[in-house]
């Protein structure tokens, strides 16, 4: 999954922090909270707190609902679905 770059710059409009959006992207990649913690070099408890805060902010009750919210609001995209034109990660912008 990839966050829509222009949305990363306007995250506070939705009340989500840059770190929370980074975590949503990793949740979308299928990582567990423990795996996210290791990848971001933060504690699992911190990831748990971020995920819980995102549930509250988005009105989501679970990870699937959170990812649906993120896709519906253009925060993440998958395989070109529900995305604006994103540069290929291999290409220079």
């Amino acid at each position: 999954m990839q966050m829509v770059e222009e949305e990363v710059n306007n995250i506070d409009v939705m009340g989500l922090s840059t770190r929370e959006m980074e975590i949503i992207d990793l949740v979308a990649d299928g990582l567990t909270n423990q795996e996210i913690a290791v990848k971001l070099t933060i504690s699992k408890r911190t990831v748990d707190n971020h995920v819980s805060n995102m549930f509250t902010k988005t009105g989501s009750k679970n990870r699937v609902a959170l990812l649906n919210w993120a896709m519906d609001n253009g925060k993440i995209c998958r395989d070109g679905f529900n995305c604006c034109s994103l540069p290929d990660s291999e290409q220079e912008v």
Side-chain angles (χ1 to χ4, degrees):
M1 294 264 175
Q2 293 179 339
M3 285 186 285
V4 178
E5 186 174 335
E6 59 214 33
E7 293 296 331
V8 172
N9 298 325
N10 295 319
I11 289 169
D12 42 278
V13 172
M14 299 302 293
L16 298 180
S17 69
T18 301
R19 178 63 96 182
E20 288 169 337
M21 287 306 305
E22 186 175 14
I23 290 172
I24 285 178
D25 201 38
L26 295 172
V27 168
D29 286 340
L31 275 64
T32 65
N33 286 5
Q34 181 61 48
E35 292 167 333
I36 293 169
V38 169
K39 185 168 181 92
L40 298 179
T41 61
I42 59 179
S43 74
K44 180 187 174 290
R45 176 76 181 225
T46 299
V47 176
D48 294 342
N49 287 337
H50 280 303
V51 171
S52 177
N53 290 340
M54 289 185 290
F55 287 166
T56 300
K57 290 177 180 181
T58 64
S60 302
K61 295 185 184 206
N62 56 49
R63 292 163 81 92
V64 172
L66 179 63
L67 294 178
N68 284 334
W69 174 90
M71 286 185 68
D72 290 347
N73 287 280
K75 302 300 179 190
I76 59 172
C77 63
R78 182 162 181 89
D79 301 328
F81 176 75
N82 201 25
C83 297
C84 63
S85 178
L86 293 176
D88 187 58
S89 59
E90 304 279 323
Q91 295 176 333
E92 290 185 315
V93 178

